[in-house]
Amino acid sequence: MTKKLPLPPLTPKEKSVLEFIEGHILSSGVSPSYQEIKDHFGLASFNSVQNYLKQLTSKGYIENPQGQKRAIQVLHSASAVQEHLQSKKVSTATGSHRTQLLQARDEILSLPLLGKVAAGQPIEALKHDEFVDVPPSMVRNPSKSFALKVQGDSMIEDGIFDEDIILIQKQDSANNGDIIVATVDNEATVKRFYVRARPDSGSSEKLVELRPSNSTMKSMWYSPDEVEIRGIVVGLIRKF
């Protein structure tokens, strides 16, 4: 029988992080988010969380697929939890085995929350250290998607309210009637998009209309080269 090589030893903090992940999986059925790990250990930043997970990954204790924060898979336990994991193995359609506790990898998608959409707030200048957990069914293309928090009431008649979180698919084009995130003079806004002649101008020149969904506000009109489409709104999350 081939003798298995021992796993590299863990530092006390690495062992604590691994045990926290294991305990969370056992109690809730899913792995913890970066935010939950950060809060539990009082870490200064998400980089600290990533560093611990990278160490645990390099030592062979976990797998941590990128882009889905509740997808951490425990390969080797720091304690008796390993016995529980081994006893829960099940067969997949291909005949391979995986753990029931870790099947949540496809149930949660984590998108970067880039900040608030508000006049005067360039998207590029906003922080990238927060994430939003969403069901994968809400996002068409996870690798090209992000989230923004709405500021203001310009879209309330479309059911988009102040402090709502909208999910954006990155693209540089849109169809008439789409709700888009656009920048004009490096200022970000969320509006309905139309390309048409301005009714009150007496001209047939096609302009971009960024139309609010609020009857107390007026549309904004721009030449096409003034508007940079950053993406279209594909979903919304509201916390009560």
Side-chain angles (χ1 to χ4, degrees):
M1 178 180 283
T2 303
K3 189 175 182 180
K4 293 183 180 179
L5 294 175
L7 290 167
L10 296 173
T11 67
K13 195 60 176 283
E14 289 168 354
K15 184 173 183 290
S16 296
V17 173
L18 180 56
E19 288 175 339
F20 174 71
I21 294 169
E22 293 170 343
H24 196 284
I25 291 173
L26 287 174
S27 63
S28 66
V30 296
S31 61
S33 66
Y34 278 25
Q35 183 71 54
E36 287 166 338
I37 297 172
K38 177 176 176 289
D39 291 346
H40 180 81
F41 291 99
L43 299 174
S45 69
F46 288 98
N47 284 336
S48 299
V49 176
Q50 290 172 337
N51 287 337
Y52 281 114
L53 296 181
K54 285 178 182 177
Q55 284 297 106
L56 291 172
T57 299
S58 67
K59 291 184 176 183
Y61 286 86
I62 67 169
E63 283 186 1
N64 183 29
Q66 296 298 309
Q68 300 181 37
K69 292 301 182 297
R70 292 189 187 272
I72 302 170
Q73 300 186 45
V74 177
L75 303 179
H76 296 282
S77 176
S79 64
V81 178
Q82 178 63 19
E83 296 176 6
H84 188 91
L85 296 177
Q86 291 294 335
S87 69
K88 291 292 185 179
K89 283 186 176 179
V90 294
S91 296
T92 65
T94 61
S96 62
H97 294 277
R98 65 187 299 193
T99 312
Q100 284 180 331
L101 284 175
L102 306 176
Q103 285 179 330
R105 62 178 297 174
D106 298 322
E107 297 176 4
I108 295 293
L109 178 69
S110 196
L111 297 181
L113 178 63
L114 301 191
K116 292 188 176 182
V117 187
Q121 297 289 334
I123 292 176
E124 292 84 359
L126 299 172
K127 293 183 178 180
H128 291 234
D129 60 354
E130 293 185 57
F131 294 86
V132 176
D133 290 337
V134 301
S137 60
M138 293 185 69
V139 179
R140 303 169 193 170
N141 192 333
S143 65
K144 294 184 178 181
S145 301
F146 60 95
L148 291 170
K149 183 173 286 188
V150 175
Q151 188 172 51
D153 57 2
S154 66
M155 299 300 291
I156 57 175
E157 289 166 15
D158 272 319
I160 301 175
F161 297 97
D162 188 48
E163 298 297 313
D164 281 351
I165 293 173
I166 52 175
L167 310 179
I168 313 299
Q169 178 176 293
K170 296 178 185 177
Q171 59 186 66
D172 58 8
S173 62
N175 297 318
N176 278 352
D178 284 345
I179 301 177
I180 69 167
V181 172
T183 51
V184 181
D185 292 331
N186 211 31
E187 294 182 357
T189 187
V190 179
K191 296 290 185 292
R192 282 201 177 270
F193 169 85
Y194 297 91
V195 176
R196 66 194 190 101
R198 186 166 181 167
D200 57 0
S201 68
S203 170
S204 61
E205 179 188 7
K206 293 291 183 67
L207 298 174
V208 172
E209 178 189 7
L210 297 182
R211 184 186 300 174
S213 295
N214 184 327
S215 55
T216 67
M217 300 180 178
K218 295 182 178 179
S219 291
M220 298 177 288
W221 296 84
Y222 303 96
S223 63
D225 59 0
E226 291 180 296
V227 178
E228 181 180 1
I229 298 173
R230 309 305 300 272
I232 62 172
V233 177
V234 296
L236 179 146
I237 297 173
R238 178 174 301 138
K239 294 183 178 180
F240 294 93

